[in-house]
Structure formats: structure tokens, C-alpha cells
Amino acid sequence: MSRGPSLQVRLLGLMFGVLAALWAATLALTLSDTRHELDELLDAHLAQSASLLLVQDADADEDVAAPDAPILHRYAPRVAFQVWRDGRLVLRSANAPALPFGPAARRDGFAFVDAPGARWRVFAAYDPARRRQVYVGERLDARGEILAAVLRGVSWPLALALPVLGLATWWTVRRGLAPLRRMGRTLAARRSDALDPVALDGMSAEMLPLAASLNGLLGRIADLLANERRFTADAAHELRTPVAAIRMQAQVAQAATDDATRAHALDGLLAGCDRAARLIDQLLTLARVESAQAPEMAGVELGGVTRGVMAELAPAALAKAQRLELDAQGTYVVRGNALLLAVLVRNLVDNAVRYAPPGAAIGVYLHREGDQVVLDVEDGGAGLADADLARLGERFYRVAGNGAAGSGLGWSIVRRIAAVHGARVAVRRSERLGGLAVAVTFG
């Protein structure tokens, strides 16, 4: 059996992936926002510097070119300016070119300018009253260096936070899955025959459905094992009598000195074999009905099932001179399993044939009561006393004083099949025939 990745590994992989994506998205948003804010700030500085150059030294003689402004700071070469009047350069920084910085057609506003050795961000301002044109520019690579320095300052905390968040995520996931590991250890430490339910006290809401399903499975397994043990015990208990009878008849036949005795013993031997075979068949039927597996259900015409069962049992009734009667006018469809319903009807009719006296009448009636279908099986026998009716349905219980062969399992089978189909079983004295009446109500 191939083993997939653990739940902890999958959760950690998903969480680390989400953290990495969030970290990358945060870095990208920080880069974009910082670039925008930095450009806004530096552009404002360019505009402010151009304004100062426009208004400064208003009384100076601009007909005489002033010397280049000195470089007073190591970052000063990154910024340059020019002051022009009537097309003549009157003032500039030492790193500014001698030609106009900005395009000739543009006197105001921002522009990108390519100059020898660098690309500049230039702000142009013009004073028409004094016919003064000012250009203030900043190297774009200088802006890139500033942006990189800012991002380095921001990225280091983010980079340090990522493994810390990863470690915290690992610890959180591991702690969150601790109850699942504890349950696994508890189940692994159980004995192989321990089928008692898992304790649900203090269990988290996420694990309750799993634990409840596990308890349901353990309960079904316990029921199956109980049914198997009961079946084994029942078989051992009930088969002991017919096997002992078969052995005794075999010994009689073996020791017989005349044909009549031997024939009588062999007849008893065959009868014992028949009883053992019927008992085994009943036990297997009861075990199959009591299994936890739900049978397949479909629409079943109960009248057809009943006719087929009565045709099978007619020879046994004729052998006792009994009269079988079926009253099933119309169609009676119930939801159920055809095989199990046939077993139910067969047990009811077979019990009536076995326990009713010779010559008795046995009636099977199908009718409706509203939306319900009712199956009635009645006989003309002596019926049952109240004490016997109270014990009817107990395993292996047989009414004392009745010589009919039986295992005492038929009623258990009937009640179990009725329960599987959601039907009700009621027993009373028959008003029509005077004996026992059994009513099975479906729906």
C-alpha cells in the first residue's frame, strides 16, 4: 500500500507556500509604493529648487555670465541645474552641460532627458517677466540607488521575519495536530479485542465527526462479532441433540438383528438428518439476516411472493390433509428485498402447517389499511396461551407438548426480517379460524 504525504507535511507545505507568496507580494507592493513616493518627493525637490532659482538674485546683472556653482557635497554631482536668459546660459552647476538641458519646445514641466553618460529627470520652469529659463535635473541612477537602499532597509526585516514565521507556523501546525497523534497512539495501544467506543470528552469540534464515525464502526464490528459468537454458540448447542439422535439411531441400526428394527432405526436416522439440515438452514438464514450489511431494496409485489411460497408448501399441507387458502385480490407492492420477504412468508406459513393439526384450515390474507399493506397468516389450530405468546420470538423457544419438528428459530427470523423492512409484527387469536393469527404490517 503506497503511503501518501503526512497531513502535517501537506499543511506545512501549504502554509509555507502562502507565506512565501505573501512575502513576495509584500515586497513587490513595497517596491512599487516606495518608488512612487520617492519619485513624488524628489520631483517636488526639483520643482522647489527651480522655484528658488527663478526668484533668487532678482537685481543681479544677468548680462554677465556668472561662474559655475561649486560642488560642495559628494552627492552633488547627481543633481545639476542651468539658468538661461534670452537663450544665454547665465548660471549652471559644474556638472551641467553647456547646452540646454530640456527640449527647446518645452519650457515648463517634467521630462526625461538623455545626456552624455547618464539619463536625467529634468524639471523646467520659465519666468516670462524676466525671460529666465531654469532647468533642474537629477540622475535617474541616483534615484535607483536611493530606492535600492530603502528596499534593503525594508527587506532585511522581512527576510528575517520569514524563517521566524515559518518556525511559528511549524510549531502551530504540530501543536494543532497533537490531538490526532494522541488518538493514533491511543488506538495503537489498544488490545486487538477492545471494541469499546473512543472517549469524546474534551475532543475538538473538528475531530468529533471522525471519532463518532470510528465509534460507529467499532460498534458495527462488535455487533458482527457478537452475532458470530452467538451463531457459534447456538449451532453448538442445538446441533448437539440431532447429532446425538443420529448417532443413537445409527447404533440401533448397527445392532439390529431383524429387518424391521433396522428399517425403523434407518427411518429415525433420516428424520434426524432432516432435522439437522433444517436447523442448519435456519441458523444460516438468521445469521444472514442479522448481518450488518443492509440488503438491496426495491419494489416487490408481495402477492406474487406469497403465491410462490404457498405453492412450495402445498405438498406438506396436503400430506396433513390441511386446507390452504390465499386471499390476495389486487396488487400489493412494498419496498423490500424479495428473497428476505420470501423467507418471512415461508416461515409464517411453514409454522402454521407444522403446528396446526391435521385437517385444519390455514388462511393467508393480503389487504390494505390506508397506505399500509397487511399480511395475515391464520390457522385453525389450538392457538397459544398468554404465557407462550409472551415468549414467542425467543431463540430456540418451542411450545411444550407439541410434537412437531422445529428449531425454535422461525419467529426470530420473522421478527428480524420485519425489522429490516420497517414492518410491525402482531400476534393474536384468529377470529376467523380460531387458532393463531399473525399480522405483518408494511409501510
Side-chain angles (χ1 to χ4, degrees), residues 387-389 391-400 407-409:
D388 293 327
L389 283 175
R391 298 191 59 187
L392 200 61
E394 295 181 8
R395 287 175 178 238
F396 307 113
Y397 174 73
R398 300 179 66 239
V399 178
S407 62
L409 291 175

Side-chain angles (χ1 to χ4, degrees), residues 305-320:
V305 173
T306 304
R307 292 185 186 92
V309 170
M310 293 186 70
E312 295 177 9
L313 296 177
L318 291 175
K320 297 179 66 175

